[in-house]
Amino acid sequence: MPLLSKIIFDKHDRDGSGTIDASELKEIAYQLGHPMTDAQIAEGLKEIDLDGSGELNYEEFKRWWAQKDRFSQLGGTAGDDEATASQDEQAAAAWAAWLDSTVKHFAYFDKDHSGSIDRAEFHGLYANLKANGYHVSSEEAAMRALDANNDGEISLKEYISWLRSGNK
């Protein structure tokens, strides 16, 4: 069975070039629960692109992937579940499957793919959560519960954190 790093690399090397470019790296970060700005990706890529090509070959990617703080190197933060999962292949597969499903669900409601759900987008997410048995009272109370930093938007990290806190 190929390494998880190879599976992820091959899945996101959309153009088959044998390298991961900035847009592909941004997609990896988003899909793994660490949405980042273009500037964060560009700055992080400079740190991990050892040959200065502007893209990651598999060896560079594998080296970056092996780091426990891989997303902090790109300007994000790694979660405890992700760090634990990377130590156990079965846990990694379960975490990846849950995260993939969660990110797809979030992305469906993140219509502008900004990495956050604003109040207009939240209406659809709220209805979906309510219909699927999540403990949410009013739409306003649910928005407050999910918007941990009170900026008026729900980030993917906030959404994942809320789901992991057992709100069903």
Side-chain angles (χ1 to χ4, degrees):
M1 177 168 199
L3 294 172
L4 184 59
S5 61
K6 183 67 172 154
I7 293 168
I8 291 172
F9 183 89
D10 289 346
K11 176 183 175 185
H12 290 88
D13 179 17
R14 291 185 309 257
D15 59 5
S17 65
T19 60
I20 298 291
D21 64 23
S23 69
E24 292 164 332
L25 186 59
K26 184 175 181 179
E27 182 180 321
I28 290 168
Y30 184 95
Q31 289 187 357
L32 294 177
H34 301 274
M36 298 182 166
T37 65
D38 289 337
Q40 287 174 311
I41 291 293
E43 194 61 36
L45 192 56
K46 289 178 190 174
E47 296 292 321
I48 60 177
D49 173 24
L50 301 177
D51 66 9
S53 66
E55 300 177 326
L56 298 178
N57 61 41
Y58 177 64
E59 289 305 313
E60 291 168 326
F61 182 83
K62 184 169 71 171
R63 183 180 178 151
W64 168 72
W65 186 259
Q67 305 300 312
K68 285 184 181 182
D69 65 342
R70 69 180 73 100
F71 288 103
S72 64
Q73 289 178 325
L74 296 178
T77 57
D80 293 338
D81 292 318
E82 181 185 352
T84 301
S86 69
Q87 297 169 7
D88 175 353
E89 195 170 314
Q90 191 173 20
W95 171 248
W98 181 84
L99 191 59
D100 184 56
S101 171
T102 300
V103 169
K104 285 177 181 172
H105 187 252
F106 182 90
Y108 177 80
F109 295 100
D110 181 14
K111 300 299 184 192
D112 61 3
H113 205 66
S114 64
S116 64
I117 293 176
D118 62 27
R119 287 187 181 278
E121 294 167 324
F122 183 67
H123 182 72
L125 176 60
Y126 170 76
N128 182 267
L129 292 171
K130 192 117 175 125
N132 285 290
Y134 283 88
H135 297 294
V136 290
S137 54
S138 71
E139 188 168 331
E140 187 58 38
M143 181 73 177
R144 281 192 309 272
L146 274 91
D147 182 17
N149 68 359
N150 299 313
D151 67 353
E153 297 182 333
I154 299 163
S155 70
L156 180 56
K157 289 178 187 177
E158 288 171 323
Y159 181 62
I160 289 170
S161 177
W162 183 81
L163 288 174
R164 304 277 302 157
S165 68
N167 288 291
K168 189 160 187 180

